């Protein structure tokens, strides 16, 4: 397995990603879409998810294809970003056909960033406009770190962010991950230097420092996030992600793909999947390449888990400081290393 040309989820042919954010708000939205509808399902493992249209993605539900998936800050307010994406799709006459009407199908998930120091004193919900802007600017190339849905994200010890990574398998199948990382847990071992995901790093995509050589690393650290948050930190977290492939997966297989990808969260964040996290992974297939066996599905799921672990580390590694941040960036703490 080697990273794709961009080391982004958009190495999966046909996919595009757009970001939109407001600096003063310290929040934003990220949208994954394509020129044609794609198969999707979802698996939730966190105890506090915030979602839209995810019931429709269950394997036994009738609609198999979606037009876009939205990841957003803003907690429940951020779900309105999906409405902005729906507006943009409607303007393009895209969506699920019902008679002479087309209904855009836009599942979404949100993270909590309402207490990160940004100006949240809006009169009109800003996320509908952010969703539409993110969709309308979607392309194969997009930025990571403090951008889109990761703009206001916070991990336990560091500023969070938006991350992505990809793999091209020996079979020619491409797998990619996109994540907004705002977890209760930490992404580094004690000392702020080594990422939990280091064993899976390719080259120096998040610093090239390698795994922590110490032992006894399972002891949880006192969270900086819990010390600065003006609320119960157990209620202000989540890691929301999308994994995608050009392998032709059915809707049930997309769900199994998403289940396998959750291992990447466990490899990159400690602790993960807590009652206070809304950890969720969407599984997406563009269907371009036929699969030969169920064994291949296992390989694709494994690749997705590694891509997601790498994407989480890249999200924190690429976060950049902004005035009035509550937590330090990993890059700031390790600037002299």
């Amino acid at each position: 397995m080697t990273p794709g040309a961009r080391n982004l989820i958009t190495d999966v042919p046909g996919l595009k990603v757009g970001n939109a954010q407001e600096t003063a708000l310290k929040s934003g939205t990220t949208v994954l879409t394509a020129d044609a509808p794609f198969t999707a399902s979802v698996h939730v493992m966190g105890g506090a998810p915030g979602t839209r249209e995810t019931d429709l993605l269950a394997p036994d539900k009738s609609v198999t294809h979606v037009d876009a998936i939205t990841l957003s800050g803003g907690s429940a307010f951020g779900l309105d970003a999906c409405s902005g994406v729906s507006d943009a799709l409607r303007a393009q006459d895209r969506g699920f056909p019902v008679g002479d009407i087309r209904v855009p199908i836009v599942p979404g998930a949100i993270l909590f960033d309402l207490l990160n120091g940004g100006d949240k004193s809006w009169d009109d919900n800003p996320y509908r406009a952010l969703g539409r802007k993110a969709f309308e600017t979607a392309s194969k190339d997009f930025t990571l770190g403090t951008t889109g849905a990761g703009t206001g994200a916070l991990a336990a010890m560091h500023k969070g962010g938006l991350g992505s990574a990809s793999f091209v398998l020996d079979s020619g199948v491409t797998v990619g991950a996109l994540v907004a990382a705002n977890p209760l847990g930490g992404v580094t071992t004690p000392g702020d230097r080594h990422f939990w995901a280091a064993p899976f790093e390719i080259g120096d995509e998040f610093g090239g420092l390698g795994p922590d050589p110490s032992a006894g690393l399972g002891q949880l650290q006192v969270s900086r996030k819990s010390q600065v948050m003006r609320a119960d930190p157990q209620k202000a977290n989540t890691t929301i992600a999308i994994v995608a492939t050009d392998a032709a997966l059915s809707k049930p297989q997309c769900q199994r793909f998403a289940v396998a990808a959750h291992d990447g969260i466990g490899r990159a964040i400690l602790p993960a999947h807590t009652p206070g996290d809304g950890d969720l992974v969407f599984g997406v297939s563009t269907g371009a390449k036929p699969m030969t066996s169920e064994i291949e599905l296992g390989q694709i799921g494994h690749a997705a888990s590694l891509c997601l672990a790498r994407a989480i580390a890249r999200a924190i590694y690429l976060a950049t400081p902004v005035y009035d941040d509550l937590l330090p960036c990993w890059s700031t703490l390790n600037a002299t290393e």
Side-chain angles (χ1 to χ4, degrees):
M1 297 185 290
T2 59
R6 297 177 177 82
N7 201 15
L8 299 172
I9 195 171
T10 47
D11 286 323
V12 177
L15 294 184
K16 299 183 291 186
V17 171
N19 290 321
Q21 56 280 322
E22 291 185 8
T23 301
L25 184 67
K26 280 201 172 185
S27 188
T29 296
T30 297
V31 176
L32 179 133
T33 189
D35 292 331
F38 47 89
T39 307
S41 191
V42 68
H43 187 65
V44 181
M45 289 190 70
T51 61
R52 168 172 153 160
E53 293 274 40
T54 48
D55 283 354
L56 187 67
L57 301 182
D60 63 325
K61 300 302 185 289
S62 59
V63 174
T64 58
H65 289 73
V66 306
D67 300 291
I69 295 175
T70 301
L71 308 178
S72 185
S75 189
F77 300 104
L79 292 174
D80 208 31
C82 298
S83 299
V85 177
S86 293
D87 291 343
L89 285 160
R90 179 179 170 84
Q92 297 181 7
D93 194 30
R94 292 179 58 183
F96 183 76
V98 183
D100 60 355
I101 296 293
R102 288 187 175 272
V103 182
I105 307 298
V106 186
I110 49 86
L111 58 81
F112 186 96
D113 59 3
L114 297 179
L115 298 177
N116 63 1
D119 181 7
K120 307 304 191 295
S121 59
W122 65 76
D123 291 322
D124 297 313
N125 189 323
Y127 290 97
R128 189 171 191 136
L130 287 170
R132 182 160 192 164
K133 181 178 179 181
F135 175 84
E136 291 176 342
T137 59
S139 70
K140 293 180 180 179
D141 294 302
F142 60 98
T143 56
L144 302 179
T146 305
T147 188
T151 299
L154 302 172
M157 308 300 288
H158 309 91
K159 192 170 179 179
L162 186 77
S164 190
S166 70
F167 270 136
V168 179
L169 280 61
D170 291 344
S171 64
V173 165
T174 302
V175 175
L178 176 69
V179 63
N182 182 65
L184 182 145
V187 297
T188 63
T189 63
D192 295 311
R193 181 169 168 79
H194 296 276
F195 287 95
W196 290 113
F200 313 106
E201 184 177 15
I202 305 297
D204 60 354
E205 62 186 347
F206 43 89
L209 299 176
D212 193 328
S214 304
L217 297 174
Q219 183 69 35
L220 297 181
Q221 304 173 74
V222 177
S223 166
R224 293 189 184 107
K225 186 175 182 177
S226 69
Q227 295 173 322
V228 301
M229 192 68 66
R230 293 180 287 113
D232 182 353
Q234 297 284 336
K235 300 177 180 178
N237 318 279
T238 203
T239 297
I240 47 178
I242 305 168
V243 293
T245 182
D246 53 0
L249 305 186
S250 65
K251 195 176 179 185
Q253 288 174 327
C254 279
Q255 186 183 57
R256 179 51 50 187
F257 180 47
V259 169
H262 268 281
D263 286 354
I265 297 178
R267 289 169 173 150
I269 298 168
L270 189 75
H273 303 133
T274 74
D277 281 292
D279 295 345
L280 169 155
V281 179
F282 293 99
V284 164
S285 167
T286 62
K289 294 181 181 292
M291 280 209 313
T292 58
S293 70
E294 286 293 321
I295 293 175
E296 190 174 359
L297 177 60
Q299 295 168 342
I300 292 169
H302 172 61
S305 71
L306 299 185
C307 280
L308 184 49
R310 293 162 53 222
I312 290 167
R314 294 188 82 200
I316 280 69
Y317 175 72
L318 294 170
T320 52
V322 177
Y323 173 74
D324 201 30
D325 279 343
L326 296 184
L327 292 181
C329 291
W330 183 93
S331 59
T332 301
L333 294 174
N334 290 277
T336 59
E337 296 290 347

